[in-house]
Amino acid sequence: MSRDESRFRDLICRFGDLLYRRGYAHGSTGNVSARLDDGAILISPTNSCLGLLDPERIAKVDEAGRHISGDPPSKEGFLHLAMYEERPTSRAIVHLHCTHAVAVSCQCHADPANVLPPLTAYHVMRVGKLPLVPYFRPGDRGLAEAVRALARDHHAVLLANHGPVVAGRTIEDAVFAAEELEETAKLTFLLSGRQTAPLGPEQIAELAAAFPS
């Protein structure tokens, strides 16, 4: 096993535990993956708890999703493969069923192309526009194609009645963006019914120029 692979295995377990302890993953929900230099993908195993991952049991698949080693990969691995194919610079993906983001995914939205308001600079910088992917039943491979259609222009998407999928250049980037997404979703409910002042187009453009994604 290469040093790179060993490091990624440890990082998947470390950040999986962080997400679990912060309450962003419950039971056996959620999955985390990382792409190696040779194109192979490490991903948390199916029916595993993100708070109890074992580096040696992390699943390894090839670029086509064929199982190479470790425990059987997450059944939602096809979402990761679709995102990686459209985002060649991404090295990690986080998919969560975190409470507030899932609640947003169950709502009706006037603009499904962007379902969270730009309440903070950090949301704009880490998440940007968040499109809603239409609902597909669990395991439906049509979901991968729906994600693929949005992935080239968006590193974060929200699956209807399901949860977010977030890609990053590193595991840290993907995890921190997923956390920012959940916190912004939480803010939208805390501010519900109150007058709010989201960032305007000029402020968003300024952030985009200063912190390009």
Side-chain angles (χ1 to χ4, degrees), residues 4-213:
D4 185 53
E5 179 174 339
S6 178
R7 181 175 67 88
F8 273 124
R9 287 177 178 274
D10 288 339
L11 285 172
I12 287 173
C13 294
R14 185 185 309 170
F15 280 104
D17 181 58
L18 173 69
L19 292 166
Y20 183 80
R21 285 189 288 109
R22 293 202 65 180
Y24 294 161
H26 57 277
S28 61
T29 64
N31 29 80
V32 179
S33 71
R35 178 160 53 183
L36 304 176
D37 288 338
D38 64 3
I41 295 166
L42 301 174
I43 186 167
S44 50
T46 188
N47 293 323
S48 61
C49 172
L50 290 187
L52 298 171
L53 297 176
D54 179 344
E56 295 184 2
R57 298 180 64 179
I58 296 295
K60 184 177 183 180
V61 301
D62 66 14
E63 294 175 271
R66 291 183 289 261
H67 189 203
I68 297 172
S69 64
D71 286 357
S74 168
K75 293 188 290 291
E76 295 181 312
F78 62 90
L79 296 176
H80 296 244
L81 294 174
M83 186 75 87
Y84 282 127
E85 288 172 8
E86 296 301 320
R87 304 193 65 83
T89 62
S90 292
R91 294 293 301 271
I93 292 173
V94 174
H95 169 47
L96 299 172
H97 297 184
C98 41
T99 303
H100 296 87
V102 173
V104 170
S105 83
C106 296
Q107 292 180 311
C108 296
H109 296 278
D111 182 14
N114 188 21
V115 296
L116 278 180
L119 294 175
T120 69
Y122 299 97
H123 173 79
V124 173
M125 291 186 291
R126 291 196 179 278
V127 180
K129 289 187 176 181
L130 181 68
L132 184 69
V133 180
Y135 172 77
F136 289 81
R137 64 169 176 76
D140 187 336
R141 295 306 174 102
L143 179 56
E145 296 310 310
V147 168
R148 189 191 309 280
L150 295 167
R152 182 167 297 180
D153 297 322
H154 303 276
H155 70 277
V157 300
L158 186 62
L159 312 181
N161 307 86
H162 191 158
V165 181
V166 183
R169 293 178 183 271
T170 66
I171 290 184
E172 292 89 341
D173 284 346
V175 168
F176 296 160
E179 290 183 306
E180 195 67 47
L181 191 160
E182 171 65 3
E183 291 304 308
T184 302
K186 187 185 298 184
L187 284 173
T188 64
F189 289 104
L190 288 173
L191 295 169
S192 178
R194 295 176 170 84
Q195 282 193 316
T196 60
L199 301 184
E202 291 185 4
Q203 295 164 316
I204 293 171
E206 181 183 30
L207 288 169
F211 304 97
S213 58

